[in-house]
Amino acid sequence: MNRRAPWVLVLPALLGLAFLVLPLAGLLLRAPWSTLGTRLARPEILEALRLSLVSATLATLFCLLVGVPLAWVLARVDFPGRRLVRALVTVPLVLPPVVGGVALLLALGRNGLAGRWLDRWFGVTLPFTTAGVVVAEAFVALPFLVISVEGAVRAADLRYEDAAATLGATRWTTFRRVTLPLIAPGVGAGAVLCWARALGEFGATITFAGNFPGRTQTMPLAVYLALENDPQAAIVLSLVLLAVSVIVLAGLRGRWVS
């Protein structure tokens, strides 16, 4: 049965769609398409692009290293305080990024809770360094990976793991040879979301790592700086980030978009 939607719902829906599409249309229409290649080839833009890609990739690798085990523990291990731990994992999702940067400074700064020992014992200082960029991006991106992988682990069929255990496989072998292949799509989706979130991180990065060209200036920070001096360059960098977002959505359309 074909039912007509009431105009009282259609009009606000169209208004909401226009509200989302209009800024993107403005970005595309005002883009300097004729000089796009030349502007993308500028050394400062290439350096910001390189640093963004490298730091986002390193942050994603770190998140995979710690996030997959964390997601498995949250999904499979029943321990006191599991709900609290899950809530703490999701805090960076709702925490203002600038507040996250301040928290990182208080924890990992030279006089921070753990930073003072890193500096004293190993001579490692994270704030306002490239490593600090990776840390800030990993902090805000890790929940995306954990949530995606935890859902995949919960959906995995336990009978395969039980069968492996009855055949004499150790827990590590079962995880490596059975569980990981089962949850691979969830891990892949979480890694892509994690990488995209790290690539677009701004608030925690500028607060914890600063905005130093060639060392901590990623693409979002370069956009912020270019808006004051070269708006056309800001548009070009914004187009790159927009293209990455579209590619990520296209790649995950089967999981997140119906």
Side-chain angles (χ1 to χ4, degrees):
M1 181 177 180
N2 187 17
R3 297 182 179 180
R4 291 185 176 180
W7 284 105
V8 70
L9 296 179
V10 172
L11 290 178
L14 293 176
L15 180 62
L17 180 62
F19 177 74
L20 295 175
V21 172
L22 188 61
L24 302 179
L27 181 64
L28 294 174
L29 292 175
R30 297 293 299 273
W33 296 106
S34 59
T35 61
L36 185 64
T38 304
R39 292 182 179 277
L40 281 176
R42 291 172 56 179
E44 60 272 20
I45 291 182
L46 289 177
E47 182 61 27
L49 178 60
R50 182 199 65 81
L51 181 60
S52 293
L53 295 176
V54 171
S55 59
T57 302
L58 291 177
T60 302
L61 292 175
F62 172 79
C63 290
L64 284 170
L65 181 64
V66 300
V68 173
L70 177 57
W72 185 88
V73 169
L74 289 175
R76 292 291 171 82
V77 180
D78 189 10
F79 59 91
R82 183 170 65 171
R83 291 185 178 181
L84 176 61
V85 173
R86 183 179 290 112
L88 291 175
V89 169
T90 57
V91 163
L93 288 175
V94 296
L95 190 70
V98 174
V99 177
V102 173
L104 287 172
L105 278 174
L106 295 177
L108 299 175
R110 181 168 295 180
N111 297 317
L113 296 177
R116 67 180 66 182
W117 304 112
L118 289 175
D119 186 29
R120 182 178 305 177
W121 292 345
F122 306 103
V124 175
T125 303
L126 291 175
F128 310 109
T129 64
T130 304
V133 175
V134 177
V135 170
E137 292 179 349
F139 176 76
V140 299
L142 180 59
F144 290 87
L145 177 71
V146 174
I147 291 174
S148 179
V149 175
E150 184 186 357
V153 174
R154 289 183 177 276
D157 195 338
L158 287 174
R159 292 177 297 177
Y160 296 103
E161 297 181 11
D162 294 338
T166 58
L167 293 175
T170 63
R171 292 185 177 182
W172 169 243
T173 301
T174 301
F175 176 78
R176 182 169 52 90
R177 301 292 296 272
V178 179
T179 307
L180 272 182
L182 287 175
I183 66 174
V187 174
V192 172
L193 286 174
C194 178
W195 184 82
R197 180 64 184 89
L199 188 70
E201 168 51 30
F202 175 83
T205 302
I206 197 172
T207 307
F208 183 65
N211 188 10
F212 302 102
R215 188 170 66 181
T216 66
Q217 188 180 87
T218 58
M219 284 196 293
L221 302 185
V223 171
Y224 176 76
L225 185 64
L227 279 174
E228 301 178 358
N229 306 318
D230 189 358
Q232 297 296 315
I235 295 176
V236 170
L237 286 168
S238 299
L239 284 175
V240 174
L241 293 173
L242 176 61
V244 171
S245 301
V246 172
I247 292 172
V248 169
L249 286 177
L252 297 177
R253 64 185 182 275
R255 178 172 291 270
W256 299 102
V257 182
S258 60

